[in-house]
Amino acid sequence: MFFRNLILTVLITTAPLLAIDSAAQRTPRLRRIPSTVLVQLRAEQNRKDALIHDKKFEDLETLKNDTYRAIEVTVRDFRDHFNACPVYYFMDTNFERIMNHQFDGTLLDDNLAAVANPQIEDSNYLIVFYGYPTWQTKKGRWDTTKQKHWGGAPNGRGLVINDYNFRQIHYIYDLDFDFFNFRQMFAKNPYRYESKKFDIQYNPSAAEFNRDFLYSKHKQERRKNK
């Protein structure tokens, strides 16, 4: 009982500060509306190779399961919450092929099946991944002050949005639970996963990205119609 009360007290006390911090970690809405989004999925190949080298086969099976679960919730989140434009996926082991515009058979659908001859407009797509973004100001410029004093990245992971050259242009870094709804906070979420053993996690981000995308699209359409 004491431990539970202590947790609740800490959460209630820190919630306003965390909410402010979360709101601050937002870059401007998209300035250019892409025709496609490519979502990078982590294969964790280096970790797998290291475990095979060390003959830690039990840990290897755990890692494989955690990797699959993280991929599964990422795809589910985008499938269910992002409809602003077509979405494809690719494994990070194929990153070089993506950068060379070798999309045929490399991009995957939401069943993780290879897509033959996907229609991707040249340079008019975004590459996104769930990971650590770099600080940017509200105007999208690199915030070198924070990079120097805060270790070069925001205090946590989020959805990092990059242009077709894989240069970060935007990120979404929000806390995804309600501090004052404890049942929801501790409930299972089919769009969230965190490994108990490895540094592998995904928090739902697609809905917020979808809202930002549609807001930017609506804003640009209004400018054109003026």
Side-chain angles (χ1 to χ4, degrees):
M1 179 65 69
F2 171 78
F3 183 66
R4 176 199 270 176
N5 291 337
L6 178 62
I7 291 176
L8 295 180
T9 301
V10 171
L11 289 174
I12 292 171
T13 303
T14 59
L17 295 175
L18 289 169
I20 292 171
D21 181 67
S22 173
Q25 312 312 320
R26 300 293 307 277
T27 53
R29 313 258 181 190
L30 300 174
R31 293 171 181 165
R32 182 185 181 189
I33 305 304
S35 61
T36 315
V37 168
L38 311 183
V39 180
Q40 177 178 274
L41 305 172
R42 294 178 60 91
E44 302 293 347
Q45 193 58 50
N46 289 338
R47 288 183 181 181
K48 291 175 182 176
D49 292 342
L51 291 176
I52 292 172
H53 179 269
D54 295 339
K55 298 182 180 180
K56 296 182 177 180
F57 299 115
E58 185 174 341
D59 286 347
L60 177 62
E61 290 307 309
T62 301
L63 176 62
K64 287 180 178 179
N65 178 67
D66 288 342
T67 301
Y68 174 77
R69 293 289 302 281
I71 289 173
E72 183 181 42
V73 297
T74 303
V75 173
R76 183 184 299 138
D77 189 25
F78 273 86
R79 182 195 65 206
D80 294 351
H81 298 133
F82 189 90
N83 59 13
C85 74
V87 175
Y88 295 105
Y89 307 86
F90 70 94
M91 303 306 299
D92 60 356
T93 48
N94 285 325
F95 178 75
E96 190 172 335
R97 289 180 59 83
I98 296 298
M99 296 306 293
N100 290 329
H101 297 179
Q102 297 173 311
F103 301 127
D104 189 8
T106 304
L107 294 177
L108 311 171
D109 61 21
D110 56 15
N111 292 313
L112 299 182
V115 178
N117 194 29
Q119 302 302 307
I120 308 293
E121 290 184 25
D122 185 35
S123 79
N124 192 30
Y125 57 89
L126 297 178
I127 302 173
V128 308
F129 68 89
Y130 186 80
Y132 292 97
T134 301
W135 288 109
Q136 284 180 275
T137 66
K138 290 183 179 180
K139 293 184 178 180
R141 299 187 180 91
W142 304 117
D143 193 333
T144 55
T145 301
K146 284 188 175 181
Q147 286 175 353
K148 180 179 180 181
H149 296 290
W150 293 82
N155 303 322
R157 280 171 275 209
L159 190 69
V160 185
I161 296 97
N162 307 272
D163 64 16
Y164 72 102
N165 284 321
F166 209 66
R167 182 181 185 277
Q168 179 182 307
I169 58 173
H170 179 61
Y171 61 87
I172 296 171
Y173 180 63
D174 282 332
L175 297 177
D176 191 63
F177 44 78
D178 184 351
F179 279 96
F180 300 101
N181 185 342
F182 299 109
R183 182 177 296 178
Q184 176 182 328
M185 176 179 169
F186 292 106
K188 289 185 178 180
N189 188 324
Y191 306 104
R192 178 187 292 121
Y193 183 74
E194 183 170 2
S195 169
K196 295 180 180 179
K197 186 176 184 64
F198 298 98
D199 184 25
I200 297 173
Q201 68 170 240
Y202 178 80
N203 284 313
S205 311
E208 184 66 26
F209 182 32
N210 199 62
R211 283 191 290 270
D212 278 5
F213 196 112
L214 293 175
Y215 177 87
S216 299
K217 186 175 181 180
H218 175 69
K219 202 170 182 180
Q220 289 194 16
E221 287 175 348
R222 286 186 62 185
R223 284 201 198 102
K224 289 179 181 178
N225 294 329
K226 283 185 178 180

